[in-house]
Amino acid sequence: MRYLRLAGGGGPEVSALCLGILPFGSTVDEETSLAVLDRFAEAGGTFVDTANNYSIWAPGGTGDESEELLGRWMRSRGRRDSTVVATKVGARPDPARGAEWPANWEGLGADTVRAGIEGSLRRLGTDRVDLYYAHIEDATVPMEETVGAFAGLVEEGTVGILGCSNHASWAVAAARQYAADRGLARYACVQQRYTYLQPRPGAGFGTQGPRGYAGTDLLDYIGTQEDMTLLAYGSLIHGAYTRADKRVLEQYDHPGTERRLRVLREVARETGATANQVVLAWLIGARKPAIPVLGVSSVAQLEEALGAVDLELDDGLRAKLDAA
């Protein structure tokens, strides 16, 4: 396993791959979920990502399932001290806002942020979250209120470092500047949908909308900020790079996609790797590395992803991929 420090060295050391456990404890059963976590830890994986609403869309889901499963795993294996835990607040259902999700998202008001961390700590069985994300942009709450609430959690020691997910690049920059001007803890990690394929301009991704993808504006901004880390979710596009039964998402349906897929397959043949492994290696080996948040549902899928850690793409192969 490779390791790096979040937030340009200011955050905790984490594995170069992050295990996303969105479906664990719901659509991925407990036995399989625990087996994947065990294998990830055995391989040197230390970074696990969840949220306080995973997975409310599953049959009977409440949003507690993923955090609770991670808490049970850490307690039963004695892994809390060796696990860097990331979770999120903002997209859990709020019954006071109606019965339909996502219209009833809880949002990012100060009281919600406070209640969110208290609930997450209880479900995870810990007194501290290493990385806490604002899950999705909330235009109904003043940015100043949200930034102040998150910074307060860092000041009291309940949270290590801060991040945001599914935010427009300008909103990330504005929140960081506001915090910096006042000496407050600021977002140091951004978790956004990002992969080798590029979506059509303006393409939306369901509830995340166009802001759910890391576009060139966000990538350029992060590239200029030494204290920022990009975490990439959706990097394997639900298996579509390698599985014949999976179609590429319609958001990537444009002429440039076939060209990039062709080059990706050529590089995979040249390296003897799978297309998935090449995509992951392309992310973690970038000039400013991105950390893939793996969406796997079996030990076999995890094993394939782990093979990307030792895959080195030389300058020629990387240039070939980037130019496609």
Side-chain angles (χ1 to χ4, degrees), residues 1 3 15-17 37 39-48 73 79 82-83 306:
M1 182 60 69
Y3 300 91
S15 49
L17 296 175
L37 281 160
R39 177 64 187 119
F40 184 64
E42 179 185 50
T46 61
F47 195 12
V48 182
W73 177 77
R79 300 291 306 190
S82 57
T83 303
L306 290 171

Side-chain angles (χ1 to χ4, degrees), residues 20 48 89 116 121 135 187 209 216 232 245 263 265 279 293 297 312:
V48 182
V89 62
L121 293 175
H135 199 166
Y187 299 140
T216 54
D245 63 324
V263 171
R265 291 164 185 150
V279 170
V293 181
S297 56
E312 296 284 352

Side-chain angles (χ1 to χ4, degrees), residues 12-83:
E13 183 180 72
V14 299
S15 49
L17 296 175
C18 176
L19 182 61
I21 62 167
L22 178 151
F24 286 19
S26 54
T27 54
V28 176
D29 63 68
E30 180 126 352
E31 180 180 2
T32 302
S33 299
L34 296 177
V36 173
L37 281 160
D38 285 343
R39 177 64 187 119
F40 184 64
E42 179 185 50
T46 61
F47 195 12
V48 182
D49 179 88
T50 183
N52 74 344
N53 73 325
Y54 292 165
S55 296
I56 63 97
W57 47 85
T62 64
D64 294 350
E65 291 80 6
S66 179
E67 287 185 329
E68 287 183 342
L69 183 134
L70 179 57
R72 290 194 295 275
W73 177 77
M74 289 190 297
R75 286 192 299 276
S76 65
R77 273 58 168 177
R79 300 291 306 190
R80 177 60 187 100
D81 290 344
S82 57
T83 303

Side-chain angles (χ1 to χ4, degrees), residues 36-176:
V36 173
L37 281 160
D38 285 343
R39 177 64 187 119
F40 184 64
E42 179 185 50
T46 61
F47 195 12
V48 182
D49 179 88
T50 183
N52 74 344
N53 73 325
Y54 292 165
S55 296
I56 63 97
W57 47 85
T62 64
D64 294 350
E65 291 80 6
S66 179
E67 287 185 329
E68 287 183 342
L69 183 134
L70 179 57
R72 290 194 295 275
W73 177 77
M74 289 190 297
R75 286 192 299 276
S76 65
R77 273 58 168 177
R79 300 291 306 190
R80 177 60 187 100
D81 290 344
S82 57
T83 303
V84 178
V85 176
T87 193
K88 311 177 190 74
V89 62
R92 188 176 174 92
D94 177 1
R97 299 189 178 199
E100 296 297 322
W101 186 90
N104 64 355
W105 273 334
E106 62 189 349
L108 295 172
D111 290 345
T112 300
V113 172
R114 164 62 59 185
I117 193 64
E118 291 173 355
S120 289
L121 293 175
R122 183 177 63 254
R123 288 184 290 272
L124 291 163
T126 186
D127 60 359
R128 175 184 169 89
V129 164
D130 302 295
L131 168 56
Y132 200 41
Y133 286 103
H135 199 166
I136 193 160
E137 191 177 326
D138 182 4
T140 70
V141 172
M143 174 265 288
E144 298 84 356
E145 178 179 340
T146 300
V147 169
F150 273 87
L153 299 180
V154 175
E155 290 172 6
E156 70 181 34
T158 308
V159 168
I161 62 172
L162 303 175
C164 59
S165 182
N166 304 310
H167 280 55
S169 57
W170 67 265
V172 178
R176 280 173 49 83

Side-chain angles (χ1 to χ4, degrees), residues 177-289:
Q177 189 62 57
Y178 176 84
D181 290 345
R182 289 155 182 81
L184 302 175
R186 55 185 179 173
Y187 299 140
C189 295
V190 178
Q191 186 177 143
Q192 218 82 340
R193 186 184 299 271
Y194 185 53
T195 185
Y196 176 62
L197 293 185
Q198 299 171 346
R200 298 188 311 275
F205 288 86
T207 55
Q208 295 97 17
R211 63 176 176 254
Y213 192 87
T216 54
D217 52 349
L218 181 61
L219 297 175
D220 289 346
Y221 174 69
I222 292 174
T224 67
Q225 306 297 302
E226 292 184 0
D227 67 328
M228 294 194 75
T229 303
L230 174 65
L231 292 100
Y233 73 83
S235 299
L236 301 182
I237 50 176
H238 309 295
Y241 282 120
T242 57
R243 290 176 53 176
D245 63 324
K246 295 287 188 177
R247 294 179 59 86
V248 171
L249 298 176
E250 65 88 15
Q251 291 89 341
Y252 301 105
D253 185 11
H254 59 85
T257 287
E258 188 52 46
R259 181 177 64 252
R260 285 178 84 84
L261 285 174
R262 184 175 63 252
V263 171
L264 176 63
R265 291 164 185 150
E266 290 173 0
V267 171
R269 286 194 296 270
E270 289 182 49
T271 58
T274 68
N276 283 339
Q277 290 169 338
V278 173
V279 170
L280 295 175
W282 178 77
L283 289 166
I284 65 180
R287 181 183 59 82
K288 187 164 189 176

